Amino acid sequence: MSSAVPLPPDGPQATSGPDEHGAALPELGDPAERGTLEIADRVVERVAGYAVTQVEGATAAPRRLLGINVGDARPDKEASVDARVDGHTATVDATVAIGWPASVRTVASRVRERVRKDVEHITGVRVAHVDIDVVSLSTPSAHRRRVQ
């Protein structure tokens, strides 16, 4: 059972008197003067890169050398993402591979939705625009036939 504690008529106040353990509490200033929280571009990039890989049909793009894929798409890695944060708004550029035969338009739409949702949920930054550069269509790996 809890009991109500009457508050002063002008609301709760931060005091520097002792708390229930005998320690002095610091006085809190006006919330507008306590400081700000800035989310770095790199934080949004990491969140968005991971969000891309959570969409079925989208993976991180394979490494490329002189325009030629070197290796396969990397489903276990974050996608390559560049982000620019301005205040509480970000723009995101993602480079992805899409699995064949998935619809590029459908997968890209899901990627945009997932990036917006995850970035806003985790960082509090609204994503105004997501550019997606599809650089590869990845095919399922074919198993080599064994000759017996």
Side-chain angles (χ1 to χ4, degrees), residues 3-7:
S3 59
V5 177
L7 294 175

Side-chain angles (χ1 to χ4, degrees), residues 33-92:
E33 297 174 1
R34 291 186 201 163
T36 60
L37 175 64
E38 294 182 23
I39 304 295
D41 296 351
R42 184 70 182 131
V43 172
V44 173
E45 290 171 359
R46 294 293 303 264
V47 171
Y50 181 74
V52 168
T53 63
Q54 298 305 298
V55 175
E56 186 176 340
T59 61
R63 290 179 294 151
R64 299 175 66 116
L65 180 63
L66 300 174
I68 299 172
N69 292 349
V70 179
D72 293 327
R74 304 167 304 198
D76 59 333
K77 300 284 187 185
E78 292 177 5
S80 174
V81 174
D82 290 320
R84 288 168 302 288
V85 179
D86 185 23
H88 296 290
T89 306
T91 57
V92 174

Side-chain angles (χ1 to χ4, degrees), residues 30-32 50 86 89 108 121 134-135 145:
D30 180 25
Y50 181 74
D86 185 23
T89 306
H121 175 73
V134 178
V135 296
R145 291 181 20 185

Side-chain angles (χ1 to χ4, degrees), residues 102-122:
S103 165
V104 173
R105 181 176 291 191
T106 301
V107 174
S109 176
R110 288 182 189 147
V111 166
R112 282 186 184 95
E113 182 180 326
R114 182 69 184 244
V115 166
R116 282 189 175 111
K117 185 183 102 185
D118 285 4
V119 168
E120 186 164 358
H121 175 73
I122 293 172

